[in-house]
């Protein structure tokens, strides 16, 4: 079974905390998530006014969305992080929460400061793409 390969180029800035691209093997199932939001099950916005708190809640909700497709953070191949702020410190604070959930994986990611997000008091949203290996139907059962 092949693995996703995270790609870097020596022609690009080498200090980024993420790979420039990811190559997914042929035959993998791709999962595309909607933007995970910092919403509690009752629809209320969690951690109002707290970038770190909302980022943590978003990552919990993203994991739940991925799990519905049989995936987890180890299957991520791309993230897009939206932060309702023009302050780079707020963006970095959110990025650090998201990045910590990636562990040692070099998942390519985009970090954006935006004017507003869709829900009342929402500060953070993360969408993702995951790749899951397709089980070999001819492989012996474990």
């Amino acid at each position: 079974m092949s693995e996703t390969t995270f790609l870097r180029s020596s022609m690009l800035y080498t200090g980024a905390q993420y790979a420039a691209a990811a190559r997914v093997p042929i035959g993998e199932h791709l999962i595309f998530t909607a933007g995970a939001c910092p919403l509690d099950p009752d629809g209320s916005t969690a951690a109002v006014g707290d970038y770190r708190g909302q980022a943590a809640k978003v990552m919990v909700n993203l994991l739940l969305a991925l799990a519905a497709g049989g995936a987890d953070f180890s299957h991520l191949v791309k993230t897009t992080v939206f932060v309702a702020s023009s302050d780079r410190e707020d963006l970095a604070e959110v990025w650090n929460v998201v990045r910590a959930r990636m562990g040692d994986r070099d998942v390519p990611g985009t970090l954006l400061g935006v004017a507003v997000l869709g829900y009342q008091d929402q500060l953070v949203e993360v969408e993702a793409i995951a790749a899951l290996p397709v089980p070999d139907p001819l492989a012996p059962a474990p």
Side-chain angles (χ1 to χ4, degrees), residues 30-91:
L30 296 179
I31 298 171
F32 298 84
T33 70
C37 299
L39 300 180
D40 287 324
D42 66 2
S44 62
T45 302
V48 172
D50 178 2
Y51 286 96
R52 290 184 67 78
Q54 285 200 9
K57 179 62 174 174
V58 161
M59 295 309 285
V60 167
N61 289 348
L62 179 59
L63 184 58
L64 292 170
L66 290 167
D72 59 34
F73 293 137
S74 72
H75 298 104
L76 291 180
V77 296
K78 172 76 170 81
T79 61
T80 304
V81 180
F82 302 90
V83 183
S85 178
S86 60
D87 185 332
R88 283 193 173 90
E89 288 182 21
D90 295 335
L91 275 69

Side-chain angles (χ1 to χ4, degrees), residues 92-112:
E93 189 173 355
V94 169
W95 178 257
N96 289 336
V97 172
V98 172
R99 182 71 182 100
R101 296 305 298 266
M102 301 302 124
D104 62 353
R105 289 176 52 86
D106 227 6
V107 179
T110 300
L111 176 63
L112 301 167

